[in-house]
Amino acid sequence: MAHYGMVIDAKRCVGCQTCAVACKQANNVPEGNFWNRVYTDGGKSIDTASGTFGVDNHLSFLPVSCQHCEEPACIKACPVGATYKDPETGIVRQDYDKCIGCRMCMAACPYTGVRSFNWEEPKHAVDVRLGDADAPKHQKHVVEKCTLCYQRVAKGETPGCMVLCPARARHWGDFDDPESEVSKLVLEREYMQLLPEAGTKPSVYYLV
């Protein structure tokens, strides 16, 4: 049993959206959906700073996707077991064949926008299937979300969002291994987690 998760260095993230695009490509995510988003912590629009120019400007970025919680609210809410935690990795997964489209997991999840629902047959920008050959096929009337690229993890590889990050802001590993990079980073650096008060114990840490 492992506890895989991610550490994101908020000081290194430059908001380039490469992780969001890499995720979409690796998993052939349908048009209109993103499993990974990068939000601007600053002004009202993307890539805009808050404050007054030259006085108190502030601009930073926050990549957000499924937090792969240790105590996932989504699993407790799913009436058919379509949302479940993989016993070998701790990754929160979605079984499309079991999903009945009730969207209870979306309602229970405290992290707004990390799940999407396919109201219609999934559409893609091109006519051929892109991304990993063994990525799950998308279906109509099911809930989808980040899987930490489970198809890659199962082969000992890293998630797609990490591979192309130009700022090397993302770190991936097993929190149950004290010698892993992620375990050392959360011991050495100050960090935050999203909505810790929700009691879900997210497996994504943000270095600040």
Side-chain angles (χ1 to χ4, degrees):
M1 175 68 180
H3 174 204
Y4 283 108
M6 193 165 284
V7 172
I8 301 175
D9 192 336
K11 290 186 176 180
R12 293 188 66 89
C13 179
V14 296
C16 66
Q17 309 281 338
T18 301
C19 57
V21 175
C23 165
K24 192 173 181 71
Q25 191 276 334
N27 295 284
N28 198 31
V29 177
E31 282 187 343
N33 295 346
F34 281 90
W35 291 357
N36 184 21
R37 302 172 187 269
V38 182
Y39 295 103
T40 300
D41 181 12
K44 295 181 179 180
S45 302
I46 189 172
D47 293 340
T48 59
S50 64
T52 303
F53 178 72
V55 179
D56 58 352
N57 289 133
H58 169 79
L59 176 64
S60 61
F61 303 97
L62 187 71
V64 178
S65 60
C66 174
Q67 300 293 291
H68 295 277
C69 306
E70 292 187 70
E71 300 291 339
C74 54
I75 290 179
K76 299 174 183 177
C78 180
V80 295
T83 302
Y84 67 101
K85 184 185 288 190
D86 180 71
E88 297 298 322
T89 63
I91 294 173
V92 178
R93 300 184 62 191
Q94 193 83 2
D95 188 328
Y96 298 159
D97 292 329
K98 286 185 178 180
C99 181
I100 59 175
C102 69
R103 289 164 285 147
M104 291 297 292
C105 59
M106 298 180 76
C109 177
Y111 307 104
T112 304
V114 301
R115 281 173 163 77
S116 56
F117 182 72
N118 294 331
W119 290 96
E120 302 295 339
E121 196 66 38
K123 297 179 181 179
H124 299 85
V126 295
D127 295 332
V128 296
R129 187 175 178 183
L130 301 176
D132 299 344
D134 48 357
K137 184 179 179 182
H138 303 279
Q139 301 177 29
K140 180 181 178 180
H141 290 167
V142 301
V143 176
E144 297 186 344
K145 67 174 193 66
C146 160
T147 65
L148 285 177
C149 287
Y150 184 82
Q151 71 277 8
R152 295 187 176 204
V153 174
K155 296 184 292 186
E157 300 174 359
T158 57
C161 60
M162 270 197 60
V163 175
L164 294 179
C165 178
R168 297 296 182 260
R170 289 176 173 263
H171 307 270
W172 157 261
D174 181 5
F175 285 109
D176 280 349
D177 177 5
E179 296 303 314
S180 69
E181 183 180 25
V182 290
S183 293
K184 292 179 179 179
L185 281 170
V186 296
L187 285 175
E188 296 168 357
R189 295 272 303 275
E190 184 179 356
Y191 66 82
M192 71 170 191
Q193 291 175 290
L194 298 183
L195 303 178
E197 64 274 15
T200 58
K201 297 182 180 178
S203 298
V204 179
Y205 294 74
Y206 296 86
L207 303 179
V208 295

